[in-house]
Amino acid sequence: MTGERYRASLNDGREVWLDGEKVANVATHPAFRGAVDELARLFDLQHDPDLRDVLTVHEPEAGTRVGWSYQLPRTLDDLRARRRSTGVWMRESWGQHGRSPSFMANVAVGLLDFREHLECNQAGFGANAVAFYRHCAANDLVLGHALGDPQIDRTTSPVDDPDLALRIIAERDDGVVVRGAKQLTTLAPLAHEVLVYLSASFAQREAEQFVIWFGLPLATPGVKILCREPLGARPYGHAHALASRFDEQDAMLFFDDVLVPWDRVFLLRDGNLARVGLGRINAWSAAAGHIRYQERLRTLLAVGTLLADAIGASGLRHVQEDLGELASYVDLVGYFLDAGEARAETTDGGLLAPGNTDASRVWSAQVAGRAVEIVRRIGSSGVLMQPSERDLAAADLRPYLDRYMRGANLPVEEKSRLFRLAWELTADSFGQRQDLYEFVHRGDITRNRINLLRRDDLGPVTDQIRELITRPL
């Protein structure tokens, strides 16, 4: 993919809605243009002679050169090369692209790896997964995924109210017809295709109509994309350097009796298989998520350090302690990535997958808010009150700004820009969205903790304790 091809590919007739109006062309609309241009820039990096071999590789299964995230890993060197490649994507986006093309390409790899299980669900589904992977990899497509069900009424079941979940309403010779909605499909207006999966909570027999995995172009008739309010456009002079480039958008997808052709269906009416498959197909994307999160934490640490320097607070013991805590988070994510590689195992699909580091998902969600809080506390009220570029250019104001709003080691213009970056990362709508994303995108933290508890084998130590308390201590 090149940047030019990417921009052109989004003008495909998709039905995108923003603030009550239908968007004619996502690539040129002011609400999306900055994010589109940023993704286009990242695609062009794949053609940079200095980065070509870092970002792309020949993959026999796809029959062409592909991005490393679409490569099928068979060795530890493959996993490490994928880590280096994803690291470039994530550093270039300051760790702000949660659902970057690099992330979702890994899910397509996972789908292919799970092909034999899908084939057992229904003849042809495994082959469909392979064909979907080849199509996405060979064309270097941007994928979104639709997982969550609408938040309507958590006290009842979709069996009683079918609108609570996407459902199958008909099976025909040419495919399956689905009706309903999927909530919070990140990157939907900027992606080429959407992968719909999860369905793991609908294992009971009467809920089988809600269990389906499939992939579709977002321009498919009947698919409507409702976007949330953009976070990068503002009417006044405060620049939003991050939101204007990295607001990857979140959307509701409405499926208005959409036909999913049989060759695009991967799993049908098997909640237990969906539950098993959920972890399997995300084995590589989970590692990509860690790489991205490490870059986000590194960005927060760097901004926090510069804030402290700018106001002469870097020598304060409590500030050093807080920044040291944030530095430990950066290192710990690296340890999780190392552990995944050290525990790597070959799957029954024949690929080498990073080892299980489920505890890191719980830890990451737990510390996400604390990482933001550290930066916000260092900047304090200065994060809120900074002059705009037009303020800086106002001759009558400038003497006061130079005198009262400068930094300990920075002129006023650089200090104001630094603190506005901190505002974007920690406090404004973009920063709050990123913080919320860190908490929710790894799944329900309560469920994840319970799963860790149930999986941990405490038998030997509990037996030791039981034996110890059979006699006086």
Side-chain angles (χ1 to χ4, degrees):
M1 184 66 72
T2 66
E4 182 179 1
R5 282 179 51 213
Y6 173 63
R7 289 187 186 91
S9 68
L10 295 177
N11 190 21
D12 56 4
R14 63 187 59 201
E15 187 176 342
V16 178
W17 288 85
L18 175 66
D19 196 25
E21 295 183 354
K22 194 180 293 188
V23 176
N25 185 351
V26 169
T28 59
H29 193 283
F32 306 104
R33 187 186 304 124
V36 170
D37 288 347
E38 183 60 27
L39 285 168
R41 183 185 72 83
L42 292 172
F43 278 122
D44 282 338
L45 290 179
Q46 297 181 125
H47 302 271
D48 184 323
D50 294 333
L51 291 173
R52 181 175 185 265
D53 291 334
V54 176
L55 296 178
T56 67
V57 65
H58 182 76
E59 172 49 57
E61 181 72 36
T64 186
R65 198 170 185 89
V66 302
W68 262 105
S69 295
Y70 273 120
Q71 186 263 355
L72 301 179
R74 300 170 179 86
T75 68
L76 189 56
D77 284 343
D78 287 344
L79 289 184
R80 289 170 175 163
R82 290 161 63 83
R83 181 174 173 179
R84 288 192 295 271
S85 174
T86 300
V88 173
W89 279 85
M90 301 313 178
R91 280 192 299 276
E92 288 288 331
S93 58
W94 304 78
Q96 304 304 306
H97 265 168
R99 286 296 177 265
S100 76
S102 177
F103 179 92
M104 283 303 301
N106 283 282
V107 180
V109 169
L111 190 72
L112 174 139
D113 183 65
F114 200 56
R115 61 193 180 280
E116 293 180 6
H117 298 268
L118 300 175
E119 187 69 20
C120 292
N121 176 232
Q122 189 163 312
F125 284 178
N128 291 350
V130 174
F132 181 77
Y133 160 81
R134 289 174 176 165
H135 168 65
C136 296
N139 292 285
D140 205 10
L141 297 186
V142 180
L143 305 180
H145 65 172
L147 305 180
D149 297 303
Q151 286 182 319
I152 298 174
D153 185 354
R154 296 300 198 218
T155 66
T156 189
S157 163
V159 175
D160 301 315
D161 183 353
D163 286 337
L164 297 182
L166 183 72
R167 67 190 186 277
I168 304 161
I169 63 169
E171 291 186 33
R172 308 187 332 203
D173 291 341
D174 54 351
V176 179
V177 179
V178 296
R179 178 187 299 168
K182 282 290 185 179
Q183 178 169 294
L184 213 63
T185 305
T186 300
L187 210 66
L190 312 180
H192 299 111
E193 303 234 358
V194 61
L195 182 60
V196 177
Y197 61 109
L198 195 61
S199 308
S201 56
F202 304 125
Q204 64 267 38
R205 185 171 183 81
E206 63 270 20
E208 289 178 343
Q209 63 176 312
F210 303 104
V211 181
I212 183 170
W213 288 11
F214 61 87
L216 278 181
L218 281 154
T220 297
V223 176
K224 303 176 188 296
I225 305 169
L226 174 65
C227 299
R228 58 152 169 76
E229 176 186 358
L231 305 178
R234 297 292 186 275
Y236 297 108
H238 273 49
H240 289 259
L242 299 178
S244 62
R245 296 166 59 193
F246 305 120
D247 181 13
E248 54 192 354
Q249 257 296 337
D250 307 290
M252 285 287 292
L253 292 190
F254 302 119
F255 294 84
D256 187 16
D257 291 5
V258 172
L259 174 65
V260 182
W262 280 115
D263 63 0
R264 286 305 197 99
V265 180
F266 311 126
L267 187 152
L268 201 62
R269 304 185 188 282
D270 190 338
N272 289 321
L273 182 62
R275 181 179 291 110
V276 173
L278 180 61
R280 277 288 305 275
I281 73 172
N282 284 298
W284 294 272
S285 64
H290 286 326
I291 297 167
R292 194 270 318 162
Y293 190 46
Q294 187 175 42
E295 289 304 320
R296 172 168 165 78
L297 290 171
R298 189 174 279 123
T299 298
L300 287 167
L301 175 59
V303 169
T305 301
L306 291 171
L307 289 178
D309 290 343
I311 58 175
S314 56
L316 299 177
R317 185 174 175 83
H318 71 277
V319 172
Q320 292 178 356
E321 180 185 17
D322 283 350
L323 290 173
E325 180 183 343
L326 194 45
S328 75
Y329 296 168
V330 175
D331 280 0
L332 281 167
V333 178
Y335 300 155
F336 290 136
L337 287 163
D338 293 343
E341 292 173 0
R343 296 178 175 183
E345 294 183 350
T346 301
T347 70
D348 57 15
L351 301 183
L352 189 68
N356 186 305
T357 58
D358 283 349
S360 65
R361 293 192 297 166
V362 172
W363 175 87
S364 297
Q366 287 174 175
V367 304
R370 172 61 180 161
V372 168
E373 179 192 4
I374 288 172
V375 177
R376 191 163 50 222
R377 286 178 59 183
I378 292 172
S380 190
S381 61
V383 172
L384 181 65
M385 185 62 238
Q386 293 297 326
S388 70
E389 295 295 330
R390 293 179 65 182
D391 291 332
L392 292 166
D396 290 344
L397 274 177
R398 187 55 188 259
Y400 299 96
L401 305 184
D402 285 333
R403 185 172 183 179
Y404 298 116
M405 303 193 77
R406 61 187 169 86
N409 62 355
L410 285 178
V412 63
E413 58 266 37
E414 292 181 28
K415 180 191 175 188
S416 67
R417 292 163 190 159
L418 171 63
F419 274 72
R420 286 208 303 273
L421 278 178
W423 169 254
E424 268 200 287
L425 283 168
T426 68
D428 79 346
S429 54
F430 176 77
Q432 291 300 303
R433 181 269 177 194
Q434 301 299 83
D435 188 31
L436 179 62
Y437 172 86
E438 297 298 349
F439 187 75
V440 303
H441 87 91
R442 298 173 182 88
D444 176 54
I445 189 171
T446 300
R447 181 195 65 218
N448 291 340
R449 285 170 174 159
I450 292 171
N451 287 342
L452 286 174
L453 174 64
R454 289 174 175 170
R455 192 189 67 198
D456 204 356
D457 181 14
L458 291 176
V461 69
T462 53
D463 288 345
Q464 281 183 294
I465 294 170
R466 286 193 182 101
E467 194 278 330
L468 180 65
I469 63 175
T470 60
R471 55 187 179 272
L473 297 178

